[in-house]
Amino acid sequence: MADHYLHLTSTAPGRFLTRRLGLPQPRPLRRWTLENPTLDGPLLHLTAGESAISDKLRATLAKIGPEATEQTGHPAGIVLDATGITTAGGLGKVHAALHPVVRSLAAGGRVVVIGTPPSPDDHHQAAAQQALEGFVRSLGKEIGKGATAQLLRIPPGAAASAESTLRFLLSPRSAYISGQVIELTDAAPDPVADWAAPLSGRTALVTGAARGIGASVASVLARDGATVICLDIPQAEEELSRTAARLGATALPLDITAPDAADLIAAAAPEGLDVLVHNAGITRDRRLANMPAERWASVIEVNLDSVLRTTDALLEAGAVNRGGRIVATASIAGIAGNNGQTNYAASKAGIIGLVRSLAPHAAADHGVTVNAVAPGFIETKMTAAVPLFIREAGRRMNSLSQGGLPVDVAETTAWFAQPASSAVNGQIVRVCGQSLLGA
Ligand code: NAD
């Protein structure tokens, strides 16, 4: 379903009219294309206070894009190293660094503030570093022009682990992500031979891949070089085969709730899986008072229980290779809750619990990371069926004033899936344009 309002505000008369009426001003977002894979300008490097990682960070940033100079007009990205801020008084340096330059950021630009994990033992450091979260979330809301702002926490001495994440955040691939806090571990990245095909030689399986977000995830993983297996229910076999054929992928018609699903998945990937994407999901909406037990049970079964069951079985069987990546699908409904979705929101909140709890154990015992995407309003068949006014509200109630596209979720999944993303573990990253819901 086309977003006519976004189209209207991209024209001069439309912009004039909607501005006069005080209506939202979405900017068409520039996403990744083969011809145009990077941001359209240099990166401004800034430091606030004493920095522990600035040299290493500078070396990593130099690989991502040219550095802006005083002569550069509009930087496409601003990276502020705020790891040295350890007191409330030090926060003034964040203001001093960004206040003079924030207006010069190009349309569709990126602000990435680099922090460090808040200390459990030093409450002054913890206050100062946590303050950066409120700062970035507010900046994301006010920055406008399709620009985004994130906080990336890097443990001391682990700047080299941040390359895949900085490449993602400072690129068009993260166009619909804003106001997020991502905390890295100090795990060393697995080597990447070719950043243009980081998944080459890897095998990925995507559930619910016949259409919608899952088909887009499969497509982006294939673009990044993976051998892809697309799984969907047998009733969707025709669509599944078409999607798989288009991507040069294998189709695996299988209901993920089947008792032998994990065995059949393992059999489909005899060399083991490197990437496992739990994307299949259903909704069976009703208010709790009107919800029969079957509607409750089917949503929990598909969205949560089958994810727990297959993940456990595949990990225990050693069917996920070392260096493997598991990506699950939550939702902002699992964070904010939603009218008529007690079952769905419970299942998606359950995914968040699963990811946070399993991630450190999966890394320690199997060398596998576990993360989740939490999509907001994404333009799919599912959201096209939402009544007009609720759909319009869903599209506009975020900092970018528009819905996301399946590819936005897919790009996030592909970043989690990268060999170099070993330090990204236990993260729930919202792909929601910084939705006002559940912030
Ligand atoms: P969709 O309905 O278009 O696609 C879901 C796919 O999963 C379908 O192809 C379906 O056949 C498959 N599937 C369902 N049950 C299955 C089962 N038991 N076994 C195997 N496959 C099964 O949905 P979508 O919008 O592409 O959503 C994909 C995921 O993203 C879901 O987990 C959904 O909850 C989540 N999500 C979507 C949005 C959004 O705005 N579209 C927002 C938040 C979260």
Side-chain angles (χ1 to χ4, degrees):
M1 181 76 57
D3 185 345
H4 298 298
Y5 183 78
L6 175 61
H7 184 68
L8 175 73
T9 52
S10 331
T11 65
R15 209 158 33 241
F16 174 78
L17 181 72
T18 51
R19 237 186 228 138
R20 290 292 294 266
L21 293 170
L23 294 171
Q25 298 293 310
R27 285 283 179 120
L29 303 180
R30 189 167 83 66
R31 295 176 168 91
W32 181 94
T33 60
L34 190 56
E35 301 71 39
N36 230 342
T38 55
L39 294 178
D40 304 320
L43 305 175
L44 185 60
H45 305 184
L46 302 172
T47 302
E50 293 302 312
S51 166
I53 61 166
S54 142
D55 281 351
K56 276 193 187 164
L57 189 62
R58 208 171 277 279
T60 304
L61 291 172
K63 297 193 218 166
I64 296 172
E67 183 172 354
T69 62
E70 298 239 315
Q71 287 75 45
T72 314
H74 293 284
I78 301 176
V79 180
L80 174 70
D81 180 354
T83 54
I85 304 292
T86 53
T87 62
L91 289 165
K93 293 177 183 153
V94 174
H95 173 268
L98 286 175
H99 166 73
V101 295
V102 71
R103 204 172 269 141
S104 69
L105 184 70
R110 305 275 183 270
V111 175
V112 177
V113 174
I114 312 283
T116 196
S119 164
D121 308 314
D122 176 353
H123 57 285
H124 287 263
Q125 186 271 7
Q129 286 296 321
Q130 189 69 31
L132 297 175
E133 183 171 326
F135 171 77
V136 158
R137 290 200 204 277
S138 297
L139 188 58
K141 291 190 174 181
E142 68 185 38
I143 197 165
K145 296 192 294 187
T148 64
Q150 334 284 350
L151 173 61
L152 176 61
R153 291 185 178 139
I154 307 177
S161 305
E163 184 171 347
S164 69
T165 301
L166 285 165
R167 280 181 183 272
F168 174 65
L169 295 179
L170 293 166
S171 81
R173 297 172 196 236
S174 58
Y176 196 60
I177 298 181
S178 195
Q180 294 304 287
V181 180
I182 296 157
E183 185 165 324
L184 301 183
T185 69
D186 58 5
D190 292 348
V192 180
D194 177 3
W195 283 99
L199 297 176
S200 83
R202 307 224 156 195
T203 302
L205 181 135
V206 184
T207 71
R211 63 173 198 211
I213 294 172
S216 184
V217 170
S219 162
V220 169
L221 297 182
R223 175 203 71 188
D224 283 357
T227 301
V228 179
I229 303 166
C230 296
L231 179 153
D232 211 297
I233 45 173
Q235 298 90 305
E237 189 166 357
E238 210 177 297
E239 201 171 10
L240 176 67
S241 301
R242 264 202 310 274
T243 303
R246 187 163 46 81
L247 305 177
T250 312
L252 179 57
L254 173 64
D255 188 324
I256 197 66
T257 64
D260 55 352
D263 295 340
L264 294 171
I265 289 172
E271 307 292 317
L273 284 174
D274 301 294
V275 181
L276 169 60
V277 183
H278 293 292
N279 162 80
I282 59 168
T283 50
R284 296 286 182 272
D285 298 355
R286 282 282 163 84
R287 291 204 173 129
L288 182 63
N290 303 324
M291 186 182 296
E294 312 83 73
R295 283 178 101 88
W296 175 274
S298 58
V299 168
I300 300 289
E301 172 64 6
V302 175
N303 296 3
L304 180 60
D305 217 2
S306 74
V307 176
L308 284 158
R309 225 174 25 242
T310 49
T311 299
D312 286 353
L314 289 168
L315 281 175
E316 273 160 32
V320 184
N321 296 329
R322 284 199 86 75
R325 310 276 179 251
I326 297 176
V327 183
T329 307
S331 162
I332 58 167
I335 297 167
N338 200 15
N339 187 349
Q341 291 199 315
T342 52
N343 52 354
Y344 182 77
S347 72
K348 295 300 187 180
I351 289 292
I352 295 174
L354 148 70
V355 166
R356 290 195 177 134
S357 173
L358 179 62
H361 300 289
D365 301 344
H366 304 280
V368 168
T369 64
V370 188
N371 295 286
V373 285
F377 184 97
I378 305 294
E379 304 279 358
T380 61
K381 270 189 187 159
M382 188 176 108
T383 46
V386 171
L388 177 69
F389 285 108
I390 301 177
R391 187 167 68 234
E392 267 311 290
R395 279 177 172 152
R396 302 308 152 215
M397 282 172 58
N398 61 74
S399 297
L400 298 168
S401 303
Q402 59 197 286
L405 300 181
V407 72
D408 297 318
V409 182
E411 294 283 12
T412 311
T413 305
W415 154 58
F416 284 144
Q418 288 198 9
S421 293
S422 316
V424 187
N425 196 21
Q427 301 300 294
I428 314 299
V429 174
R430 294 172 51 154
V431 185
C432 65
Q434 197 180 21
S435 170
L436 302 183
L437 303 177

